[in-house]
Amino acid sequence: MGEAPAFIADDLLGDFDEEIDMKCLTAVNVGNRTYVIGGTDESKLTIGVRILDKSTGEWVIPTVLGTRPKPSKGHSAILLNEDRILTIKEDSADGDCFWFLEVDTPFIREQRKKSGTEVVAWSKGVLGDAGKPIVISGPSGVGKGTLIAKLMKEFPSTFGFSVSHTTRAPREKEQNAVHYHFTQRSFMEEDIKNGKFLEFASVHGNLYGTSIEAVEVVSDAGKRCILDIDVQGARSVRASTLEAIFIFVCPPSFEELEKRLRARGTETEEQIQKRLRNAKAELEQGNSPGLFDHILVNDDLENCYAHLKELLDLNGSGGVSSKSPPISVDIPLDHSVSKIEQKIMIDCGAKGQVSRNVLVLDLSALRGGAPGRTRGLKFHSWKNSGDQQLS
Ligand SMILES: Nc1nc2c(ncn2[C@@H]2O[C@H](COP(=O)(O)OP(=O)(O)O)[C@@H](O)[C@H]2O)c(=O)[nH]1
Ligand SMILES: Nc1ncnc2c1ncn2[C@@H]1O[C@H](COP(=O)(O)OP(=O)(O)O)[C@@H](O)[C@H]1O
């Protein structure tokens, strides 16, 4: 396990009047900065991150984005590609060992520019090929919610819904934190300023947005994330670092759209008129080249649903293909890590012994990253004589 160099320990103790177990700290140099990972943050719920700017000698507590790893007894840390630090937690539960602390990825650079503050982001590493998030857009009343509800009902363990924030009032049957996080504009604007949102847009006179956490909560539950967002939001996600599949849902006709919106009975006449005016522009934008990967016409619901499943490769597979494989990795407290090209060797033998148990993490197929999971980790284990492929 990496330990904090003495100068860091002295500095930390001097600057931070906290009880920190120094054995739990790791320090990783990236350019003229040292990232110190360990202890807990202010909330005590997650592993803390501090940055020493070596040119000024000052410590910075960065804004930390994304769902964060729970504290562990210890961890090791190793720099990858100068832009992210692989953190391997010890003695952690299945599926919670590998976390990437992004320090200079395109996502971080984008967020740093937006917020004007120092930013890092955690992205959980997953073995195998978890499916990309799915963005579904289309005019109000076209049936996006209905299609998503069907998908989630048929494949409850495969898909999870990204719960957006909105400043609009809840409808009668809508529940806070299930359909939306209903909030006030001032709170949402503050969070947007602090870089907590992946995207946001003003839609039908209200503010809507997807928080980074909304996407990560779903990914961390091992599910494939579905985002129901408007065309402006889809455009922002397309421009972001989140790799997703983009689907636009059209009505068979404008008249049918109006009929559905009225039949739903959730909006006032004035709101319906506004939604119909916006629908015209959205339908035009839905055809923007390069924005959507698939266009679905929701005429007959069952037909449209079958097409949706087809393009998500779900027909007949029961959705199993898009699920992450189970992870069963047990990293002992006393381990050491080294990097050879795109492979991380995790030596689980006790210090000073010739190890017979080396775990190899293959990073050659890494994809994704914050906000969301870092996918495509491959894992092998050499136990005694054999080379065992675990996933
Ligand atoms: N950009 C963006 N749009 C969103 C978000 N959440 C919902 N929307 C869009 O806002 C629009 C209005 O949604 P809603 O008020 O639920 O009404 P509905 O579309 O008529 O059901 C729809 O086009 C949604 O796709 C979000 O987080 N970001
Ligand atoms: N293919 C369809 N044919 C007829 N009615 C539909 C169809 N799809 C959805 N609906 C109905 O249209 C209304 C709007 O659907 P909804 O899913 O709320 O749209 P959105 O989420 O896109 O605003 C709902 O009352 C829904 O039951």
PDB file of all heavy atoms in Angstrom, residues 302-317:
ATOM      1  N   GLU A 302     -47.442  -0.750 -28.584  1.00  0.00           N
ATOM      2  CA  GLU A 302     -46.748  -2.042 -28.490  1.00  0.00           C
ATOM      3  C   GLU A 302     -45.685  -2.193 -29.580  1.00  0.00           C
ATOM      4  O   GLU A 302     -44.594  -2.710 -29.354  1.00  0.00           O
ATOM      5  CB  GLU A 302     -47.729  -3.217 -28.545  1.00  0.00           C
ATOM      6  CG  GLU A 302     -48.610  -3.348 -27.300  1.00  0.00           C
ATOM      7  CD  GLU A 302     -47.815  -3.291 -25.985  1.00  0.00           C
ATOM      8  OE1 GLU A 302     -46.716  -3.872 -25.904  1.00  0.00           O
ATOM      9  OE2 GLU A 302     -48.308  -2.636 -25.041  1.00  0.00           O
ATOM     10  N   ASN A 303     -46.037  -1.690 -30.798  1.00  0.00           N
ATOM     11  CA  ASN A 303     -45.074  -1.724 -31.907  1.00  0.00           C
ATOM     12  C   ASN A 303     -43.839  -0.901 -31.602  1.00  0.00           C
ATOM     13  O   ASN A 303     -42.701  -1.340 -31.826  1.00  0.00           O
ATOM     14  CB  ASN A 303     -45.719  -1.074 -33.141  1.00  0.00           C
ATOM     15  CG  ASN A 303     -46.085  -2.110 -34.152  1.00  0.00           C
ATOM     16  OD1 ASN A 303     -45.505  -3.192 -34.137  1.00  0.00           O
ATOM     17  ND2 ASN A 303     -47.042  -1.778 -35.009  1.00  0.00           N
ATOM     18  N   CYS A 304     -44.094   0.291 -31.093  1.00  0.00           N
ATOM     19  CA  CYS A 304     -42.989   1.217 -30.800  1.00  0.00           C
ATOM     20  C   CYS A 304     -42.104   0.632 -29.703  1.00  0.00           C
ATOM     21  O   CYS A 304     -40.871   0.696 -29.785  1.00  0.00           O
ATOM     22  CB  CYS A 304     -43.587   2.562 -30.367  1.00  0.00           C
ATOM     23  SG  CYS A 304     -42.335   3.782 -30.047  1.00  0.00           S
ATOM     24  N   TYR A 305     -42.750   0.029 -28.713  1.00  0.00           N
ATOM     25  CA  TYR A 305     -41.996  -0.570 -27.606  1.00  0.00           C
ATOM     26  C   TYR A 305     -41.118  -1.727 -28.121  1.00  0.00           C
ATOM     27  O   TYR A 305     -39.959  -1.875 -27.736  1.00  0.00           O
ATOM     28  CB  TYR A 305     -42.964  -1.036 -26.513  1.00  0.00           C
ATOM     29  CG  TYR A 305     -42.280  -1.649 -25.324  1.00  0.00           C
ATOM     30  CD1 TYR A 305     -41.325  -0.919 -24.615  1.00  0.00           C
ATOM     31  CD2 TYR A 305     -42.564  -2.952 -24.902  1.00  0.00           C
ATOM     32  CE1 TYR A 305     -40.667  -1.478 -23.517  1.00  0.00           C
ATOM     33  CE2 TYR A 305     -41.918  -3.511 -23.814  1.00  0.00           C
ATOM     34  CZ  TYR A 305     -40.977  -2.768 -23.131  1.00  0.00           C
ATOM     35  OH  TYR A 305     -40.320  -3.310 -22.050  1.00  0.00           O
ATOM     36  N   ALA A 306     -41.682  -2.511 -29.033  1.00  0.00           N
ATOM     37  CA  ALA A 306     -40.911  -3.637 -29.609  1.00  0.00           C
ATOM     38  C   ALA A 306     -39.687  -3.099 -30.360  1.00  0.00           C
ATOM     39  O   ALA A 306     -38.592  -3.661 -30.279  1.00  0.00           O
ATOM     40  CB  ALA A 306     -41.795  -4.464 -30.528  1.00  0.00           C
ATOM     41  N   HIS A 307     -39.871  -1.967 -31.090  1.00  0.00           N
ATOM     42  CA  HIS A 307     -38.731  -1.376 -31.809  1.00  0.00           C
ATOM     43  C   HIS A 307     -37.671  -0.873 -30.846  1.00  0.00           C
ATOM     44  O   HIS A 307     -36.482  -1.022 -31.068  1.00  0.00           O
ATOM     45  CB  HIS A 307     -39.203  -0.200 -32.681  1.00  0.00           C
ATOM     46  CG  HIS A 307     -39.767  -0.641 -33.983  1.00  0.00           C
ATOM     47  ND1 HIS A 307     -40.926  -0.127 -34.520  1.00  0.00           N
ATOM     48  CD2 HIS A 307     -39.324  -1.575 -34.857  1.00  0.00           C
ATOM     49  CE1 HIS A 307     -41.173  -0.724 -35.668  1.00  0.00           C
ATOM     50  NE2 HIS A 307     -40.227  -1.620 -35.888  1.00  0.00           N
ATOM     51  N   LEU A 308     -38.152  -0.269 -29.761  1.00  0.00           N
ATOM     52  CA  LEU A 308     -37.211   0.250 -28.759  1.00  0.00           C
ATOM     53  C   LEU A 308     -36.358  -0.897 -28.203  1.00  0.00           C
ATOM     54  O   LEU A 308     -35.129  -0.803 -28.105  1.00  0.00           O
ATOM     55  CB  LEU A 308     -37.993   0.949 -27.628  1.00  0.00           C
ATOM     56  CG  LEU A 308     -37.184   1.464 -26.449  1.00  0.00           C
ATOM     57  CD1 LEU A 308     -36.209   2.551 -26.890  1.00  0.00           C
ATOM     58  CD2 LEU A 308     -38.104   2.030 -25.355  1.00  0.00           C
ATOM     59  N   LYS A 309     -37.027  -2.002 -27.894  1.00  0.00           N
ATOM     60  CA  LYS A 309     -36.290  -3.158 -27.342  1.00  0.00           C
ATOM     61  C   LYS A 309     -35.306  -3.711 -28.368  1.00  0.00           C
ATOM     62  O   LYS A 309     -34.198  -4.122 -28.039  1.00  0.00           O
ATOM     63  CB  LYS A 309     -37.273  -4.254 -26.913  1.00  0.00           C
ATOM     64  CG  LYS A 309     -38.034  -3.877 -25.656  1.00  0.00           C
ATOM     65  CD  LYS A 309     -38.616  -5.082 -24.970  1.00  0.00           C
ATOM     66  CE  LYS A 309     -39.748  -5.701 -25.733  1.00  0.00           C
ATOM     67  NZ  LYS A 309     -40.326  -6.850 -25.008  1.00  0.00           N
ATOM     68  N   GLU A 310     -35.753  -3.668 -29.625  1.00  0.00           N
ATOM     69  CA  GLU A 310     -34.891  -4.187 -30.692  1.00  0.00           C
ATOM     70  C   GLU A 310     -33.601  -3.363 -30.777  1.00  0.00           C
ATOM     71  O   GLU A 310     -32.501  -3.912 -30.814  1.00  0.00           O
ATOM     72  CB  GLU A 310     -35.655  -4.048 -32.006  1.00  0.00           C
ATOM     73  CG  GLU A 310     -35.327  -5.042 -33.073  1.00  0.00           C
ATOM     74  CD  GLU A 310     -36.330  -4.862 -34.209  1.00  0.00           C
ATOM     75  OE1 GLU A 310     -37.512  -5.231 -34.037  1.00  0.00           O
ATOM     76  OE2 GLU A 310     -35.925  -4.297 -35.226  1.00  0.00           O
ATOM     77  N   LEU A 311     -33.758  -2.043 -30.764  1.00  0.00           N
ATOM     78  CA  LEU A 311     -32.536  -1.248 -30.935  1.00  0.00           C
ATOM     79  C   LEU A 311     -31.664  -1.251 -29.678  1.00  0.00           C
ATOM     80  O   LEU A 311     -30.485  -0.919 -29.735  1.00  0.00           O
ATOM     81  CB  LEU A 311     -32.825   0.163 -31.462  1.00  0.00           C
ATOM     82  CG  LEU A 311     -33.707   1.130 -30.721  1.00  0.00           C
ATOM     83  CD1 LEU A 311     -32.861   1.933 -29.782  1.00  0.00           C
ATOM     84  CD2 LEU A 311     -34.397   2.037 -31.720  1.00  0.00           C
ATOM     85  N   LEU A 312     -32.255  -1.654 -28.558  1.00  0.00           N
ATOM     86  CA  LEU A 312     -31.433  -1.810 -27.351  1.00  0.00           C
ATOM     87  C   LEU A 312     -30.953  -3.251 -27.193  1.00  0.00           C
ATOM     88  O   LEU A 312     -30.368  -3.614 -26.179  1.00  0.00           O
ATOM     89  CB  LEU A 312     -32.221  -1.384 -26.106  1.00  0.00           C
ATOM     90  CG  LEU A 312     -32.606   0.095 -26.038  1.00  0.00           C
ATOM     91  CD1 LEU A 312     -33.445   0.378 -24.801  1.00  0.00           C
ATOM     92  CD2 LEU A 312     -31.352   0.971 -26.019  1.00  0.00           C
ATOM     93  N   ASP A 313     -31.251  -4.062 -28.212  1.00  0.00           N
ATOM     94  CA  ASP A 313     -30.789  -5.435 -28.223  1.00  0.00           C
ATOM     95  C   ASP A 313     -31.372  -6.258 -27.083  1.00  0.00           C
ATOM     96  O   ASP A 313     -30.688  -7.082 -26.487  1.00  0.00           O
ATOM     97  CB  ASP A 313     -29.245  -5.428 -28.111  1.00  0.00           C
ATOM     98  CG  ASP A 313     -28.639  -6.503 -28.975  1.00  0.00           C
ATOM     99  OD1 ASP A 313     -29.402  -7.083 -29.757  1.00  0.00           O
ATOM    100  OD2 ASP A 313     -27.432  -6.761 -28.841  1.00  0.00           O
ATOM    101  N   LEU A 314     -32.637  -6.021 -26.797  1.00  0.00           N
ATOM    102  CA  LEU A 314     -33.232  -6.686 -25.634  1.00  0.00           C
ATOM    103  C   LEU A 314     -34.158  -7.829 -25.998  1.00  0.00           C
ATOM    104  O   LEU A 314     -34.556  -8.601 -25.135  1.00  0.00           O
ATOM    105  CB  LEU A 314     -34.054  -5.673 -24.816  1.00  0.00           C
ATOM    106  CG  LEU A 314     -33.245  -4.600 -24.108  1.00  0.00           C
ATOM    107  CD1 LEU A 314     -34.148  -3.481 -23.660  1.00  0.00           C
ATOM    108  CD2 LEU A 314     -32.522  -5.194 -22.920  1.00  0.00           C
ATOM    109  N   ASN A 315     -34.553  -7.887 -27.268  1.00  0.00           N
ATOM    110  CA  ASN A 315     -35.524  -8.923 -27.617  1.00  0.00           C
ATOM    111  C   ASN A 315     -34.937 -10.314 -27.425  1.00  0.00           C
ATOM    112  O   ASN A 315     -33.914 -10.640 -27.987  1.00  0.00           O
ATOM    113  CB  ASN A 315     -36.008  -8.742 -29.060  1.00  0.00           C
ATOM    114  CG  ASN A 315     -36.993  -7.595 -29.153  1.00  0.00           C
ATOM    115  OD1 ASN A 315     -37.706  -7.332 -28.192  1.00  0.00           O
ATOM    116  ND2 ASN A 315     -37.000  -6.910 -30.274  1.00  0.00           N
ATOM    117  N   GLY A 316     -35.583 -11.056 -26.559  1.00  0.00           N
ATOM    118  CA  GLY A 316     -35.180 -12.450 -26.369  1.00  0.00           C
ATOM    119  C   GLY A 316     -34.051 -12.657 -25.379  1.00  0.00           C
ATOM    120  O   GLY A 316     -33.877 -13.738 -24.865  1.00  0.00           O
ATOM    121  N   SER A 317     -33.270 -11.616 -25.075  1.00  0.00           N
ATOM    122  CA  SER A 317     -32.123 -11.827 -24.187  1.00  0.00           C
ATOM    123  C   SER A 317     -32.500 -11.637 -22.728  1.00  0.00           C
ATOM    124  O   SER A 317     -31.710 -11.921 -21.840  1.00  0.00           O
ATOM    125  CB  SER A 317     -31.014 -10.843 -24.527  1.00  0.00           C
ATOM    126  OG  SER A 317     -31.394  -9.546 -24.112  1.00  0.00           O
TER     127      SER A 317
END
